[in-house]
């Protein structure tokens, strides 16, 4: 039975193309070249407002649990947002150039970021400060933690370097023919990599060998996502050809071709992709998982309280005073965008 894909909620929110998207159990956030972040409440299926802290294209967005969002942009800033009141708890000048990618450790205590200043930076999220800086030979455009937090990978053009957390040294490198556009950890040791072509490849982080590959689209793949549902691994791909496709991956038969679960032609030039799962419905189906999730939420809260106190206590940081700039009134947003356009035109 093929999966049917139907549009559920469509909104034309940005005045430029989308550059980043992230989801948690309630919200979807989108970042754009128009320098804004838009928030959508998926339970109510409504637009929830906009975050206007950054100047420059939003390059990366990542939620940590239900309480926090991190955003990075071409202005070199990383902002830590509280998702209850949508206020900016802290704004960190993270890179001298653009922030190109960021990733939060599964514990929520650390984040990594890479930027166009050829550095990889480690952030202590409990105290909201820099912990370590590593110089890279070239600019990396992707960074990602493994699900167990034991390793992380950086991508420089067509080269994926695999690092071990305990030594912070490279344990292996995967080189592809084309520039890597996106990657995703399927397990702690299996990476799905999509390059500037039509093929998805699965690699072992331990041996750096290609386990299998398959042609997913007729044009280059822009983004790849994965999720697990009732023990089934689902890979989702989005391509410049406008198609979103969902594939069934059997990890026990990884060398077998993936079966197509469903597809949709969006008629759009896709740039990024995320999957929002209605976890409330899922939790009702499985009470055991719900109990485990609530325990995980309790663990998370204990860490977050510390984080919030530190961030709010740091009043010396001017940006902490710039409380939430959130509005769902279109006029305010449009006025701001008009000002930015005028400023750009006058400086040009």
């Amino acid at each position: 039975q093929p999966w049917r894909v139907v549009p559920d909620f469509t909104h034309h929110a940005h005045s430029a193309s989308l550059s980043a998207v992230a989801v948690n159990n309630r919200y979807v956030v989108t970042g754009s070249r128009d320098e804004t972040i838009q928030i959508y409440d998926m339970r109510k299926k409504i637009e929830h407002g906009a975050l206007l802290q950054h100047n420059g294209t939003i390059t990366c967005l990542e939620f940590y649990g239900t309480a926090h969002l991190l955003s990075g942009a071409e202005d070199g800033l990383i902002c830590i947002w509280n998702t209850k009141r949508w206020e900016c708890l802290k704004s960190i000048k993270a890179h001298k150039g653009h922030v190109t990618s960021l990733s939060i450790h599964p514990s929520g205590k650390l984040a990594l970021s890479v930027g166009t200043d050829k550095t990889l930076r480690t952030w202590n999220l409990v105290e909201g400060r820099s912990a370590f800086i590593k110089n890279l030979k070239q600019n990396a455009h992707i960074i990602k933690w493994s699900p167990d937090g034991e390793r992380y990978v950086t991508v420089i053009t067509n080269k994926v370097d695999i690092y071990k957390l305990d030594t912070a040294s490279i344990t292996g490198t995967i080189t592809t023919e084309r520039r890597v556009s996106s990657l995703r950890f399927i397990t702690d040791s299996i990476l799905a990599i999509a390059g500037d072509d039509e093929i998805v490849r699965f690699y072992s982080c331990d041996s750096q060998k290609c386990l299998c590959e398959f042609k997913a689209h007729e044009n280059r793949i822009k983004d790849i996502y994965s999720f697990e549902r009732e023990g089934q691994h689902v890979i989702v791909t989005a391509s410049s050809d406008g198609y979103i496709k969902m594939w069934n991956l059997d990890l026990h038969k990884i060398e077998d071709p993936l079966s197509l679960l469903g597809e949709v032609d969006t008629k759009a030039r896709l740039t990024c992709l995320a999957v929002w799962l209605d976890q409330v419905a899922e939790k009702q189906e499985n009470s055991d998982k719900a109990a485990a999730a609530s325990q995980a939420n309790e663990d998370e809260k204990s860490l977050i309280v510390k984080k919030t106190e530190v961030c709010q206590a740091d009043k010396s940081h001017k940006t902490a005073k710039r409380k939430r700039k959130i509005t769902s009134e279109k006029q305010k947003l449009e006025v701001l965008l008009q000002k930015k356009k005028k400023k750009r035109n006058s400086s040009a």
Side-chain angles (χ1 to χ4, degrees), residues 156-213:
I156 298 171
T157 318
N158 65 332
K159 202 168 66 122
V160 182
D161 287 325
I162 303 157
Y163 290 81
K164 273 187 77 175
L165 170 63
D166 51 8
T167 59
S169 58
I170 297 173
T171 60
T173 300
I174 294 163
T175 308
T176 59
E177 279 186 27
R178 303 279 180 91
R179 180 183 184 273
V180 173
S181 57
S182 62
L183 58 75
R184 187 91 187 165
F185 275 94
I186 306 303
T187 68
D188 293 320
S189 61
I190 296 174
L191 266 178
I193 298 177
D196 275 354
D197 57 15
E198 310 86 43
I199 297 166
V200 175
R201 295 174 176 89
F202 297 97
Y203 285 89
S204 159
C205 287
D206 301 316
S207 68
Q208 294 92 55
K209 286 192 168 67
C210 183
L211 304 171
C212 83
E213 59 178 61

Side-chain angles (χ1 to χ4, degrees), residues 129-149:
R129 60 176 179 80
S130 174
F132 187 71
I133 301 170
K134 180 181 171 61
N135 291 311
L136 302 172
K137 290 193 176 77
Q138 289 166 279
N139 291 326
H141 64 279
I142 300 173
I143 187 142
K144 217 175 246 353
W145 284 105
S146 63
D148 63 4

Side-chain angles (χ1 to χ4, degrees), residues 101-112:
S101 181
L102 63 83
S103 185
I104 305 166
H105 189 267
S107 69
K109 293 177 183 177
L110 282 181
L112 295 172

